[in-house]
């Protein structure tokens, strides 16, 4: 594979998963770690990604306060509209961070009265623009690159909540591997949210279906509902429906 092709694959993986590890790219592309590091440095110098320790971060994810250049934004807006239909007045809702969750925050109907918990600063900001949403920010150590709070105090705060709904921004989802991610701190936050919620909803653009990352969040049967931009009866989603998940 030529360097330009390889770097295009890297850029796509970073934008798709928001954050990728060097080790994942080495395995994905079958090249040396030094080669991947050089590619990441070049892409960072060109301003196309943000180089971080152990991998790279999508610029649209890092600059989440602005909706410009968000990967697959039209698909994420469709997902957000579907997800917003699940929320009823009076609900307690836990949400993670990510660009799809941001679109959900922007899609909430103006007449909705509900309480939202999040550790994502960009998402909390979007919720705060809503006239009738009560916003509770889960606090602890801040991951500066992704603007999300993580750590023991955040997990303990989540455990005190009995949420009606949990919306998970999804890194990767697969029938065999379940929900997976590539950031251990974020994995722990997601685990706590799942345990504290009556209904767990995975928001995932279809490109993330049947993909897997290194760190397990939960088994597939811990997810109640999957929402993508596709029609619910799309062939890609049929195995998930057959496994007992609600597809929207």
């Amino acid at each position: 594979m030529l360097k330009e092709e390889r770097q295009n694959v890297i850029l796509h993986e970073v934008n798709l998963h928001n954050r990728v590890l060097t080790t994942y790219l080495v395995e994905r592309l079958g090249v040396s770690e030094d080669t991947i590091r050089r590619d990441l440095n070049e892409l960072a110098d060109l301003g196309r990604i943000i180089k971080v320790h152990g991998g790279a971060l999508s610029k649209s994810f890092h600059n989440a306060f602005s909706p410009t250049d968000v990967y697959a934004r039209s698909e994420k807006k469709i997902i957000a509209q579907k997800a917003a239909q699940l929320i009823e007045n009076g609900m307690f809702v836990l949400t993670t961070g990510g660009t799809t969750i941001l679109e959900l925050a922007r899609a909430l109907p103006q007449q909705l009265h509900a309480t939202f918990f999040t550790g994502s600063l960009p998402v909390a900001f979007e919720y705060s623009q809503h006239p009738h949403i009560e916003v509770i920010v889960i606090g602890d150590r801040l991951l500066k690159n992704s603007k999300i709070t993580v750590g023991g105090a955040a997990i303990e705060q989540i455990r005190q909540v009995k949420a009606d709904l949990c919306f998970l921004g999804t890194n990767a989802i697969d029938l065999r591997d379940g929900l997976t991610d590539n950031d251990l701190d974020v994995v722990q936050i997601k685990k706590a949210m799942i345990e504290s919620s009556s209904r767990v909803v995975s928001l995932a653009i279809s490109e993330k279906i049947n993909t897997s990352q290194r760190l397990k969040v939960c088994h597939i049967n811990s997810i109640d509902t999957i929402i993508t931009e596709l029609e619910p009866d799309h062939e890609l989603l049929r195995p998930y429906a057959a496994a007992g998940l609600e597809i929207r």
Side-chain angles (χ1 to χ4, degrees):
M1 184 182 291
L2 298 174
K3 182 174 79 168
E4 183 178 356
E5 294 175 300
R6 189 175 65 243
Q7 291 189 353
N8 283 337
V9 171
I10 291 171
L11 187 61
H12 178 263
E13 290 291 331
V14 172
N15 284 328
L16 177 61
H17 296 294
N18 294 324
R19 179 179 182 268
V20 294
L21 303 176
T22 301
T23 51
Y24 170 81
L25 293 171
V26 167
E27 183 179 309
R28 168 78 170 77
L29 292 165
V31 296
S32 71
E33 191 168 326
D34 285 342
T35 297
I36 294 298
R37 283 175 177 161
R38 285 195 296 270
D39 285 338
L40 293 179
N41 285 332
E42 286 186 25
L43 289 168
D45 289 342
L46 291 169
R48 306 189 74 185
I49 63 168
I50 297 170
K51 182 77 166 59
V52 296
H53 178 71
L57 193 71
S58 166
K59 290 194 72 177
S60 66
F61 185 62
H62 178 74
N63 300 318
F65 283 105
S66 171
T68 59
D69 299 324
V70 170
Y71 182 76
R73 190 181 180 211
S74 60
E75 289 87 345
K76 292 174 181 178
K77 290 176 75 173
I78 293 171
I79 293 168
Q81 292 291 339
K82 292 181 181 182
Q85 295 172 14
L86 298 179
I87 308 167
E88 299 176 3
N89 284 330
M91 278 188 167
F92 275 35
V93 184
L94 280 165
T95 66
T96 60
T99 49
T100 307
I101 299 292
L102 275 168
E103 293 302 330
L104 170 59
R106 294 167 182 145
L108 296 175
Q110 291 293 295
Q111 69 274 18
L112 178 67
H113 290 72
T115 302
F116 283 74
F117 300 77
T118 185
S120 167
L121 298 188
V123 171
F125 174 79
E126 288 296 334
Y127 289 150
S128 73
Q129 307 304 301
H130 193 284
H132 306 299
I133 293 297
E134 183 175 354
V135 187
I136 298 177
V137 180
I138 298 161
D140 198 342
R141 178 168 58 90
L142 180 69
L143 296 179
K144 292 182 180 179
N145 285 322
S146 52
K147 301 179 179 67
I148 296 172
T149 58
V150 296
I155 290 170
E156 185 57 32
Q157 189 175 349
I158 292 166
R159 286 176 175 161
Q160 304 308 310
V161 180
K162 187 176 180 181
D164 300 288
L165 279 173
C166 171
F167 289 107
L168 298 174
T170 302
N171 197 308
I173 189 168
D174 179 77
L175 269 178
R176 183 191 64 185
D177 296 334
L179 203 70
T180 54
D181 211 299
N182 52 30
D183 188 304
L184 186 58
D185 288 320
V186 172
V187 165
Q188 302 309 313
I189 293 293
K190 288 183 176 181
K191 284 178 180 288
M193 288 188 171
I194 290 168
E195 292 169 1
S196 294
S197 302
S198 297
R199 182 179 182 183
V200 179
V201 183
S202 168
L203 307 184
I205 59 172
S206 57
E207 281 188 81
K208 295 184 179 183
I209 303 294
N210 299 334
T211 68
S212 183
Q213 294 289 312
R214 293 293 187 91
L215 302 174
K216 194 174 194 71
V217 177
C218 66
H219 294 289
I220 197 67
N221 58 11
S222 294
I223 304 296
D224 298 295
T225 304
I226 297 176
I227 301 180
T228 76
E229 80 280 8
L230 304 174
E231 291 298 320
D233 62 350
H234 192 281
E235 61 181 354
L236 181 68
L237 302 171
R238 288 173 189 165
Y240 295 86
L245 281 76
E246 179 191 24
I247 309 298
R248 286 182 170 255

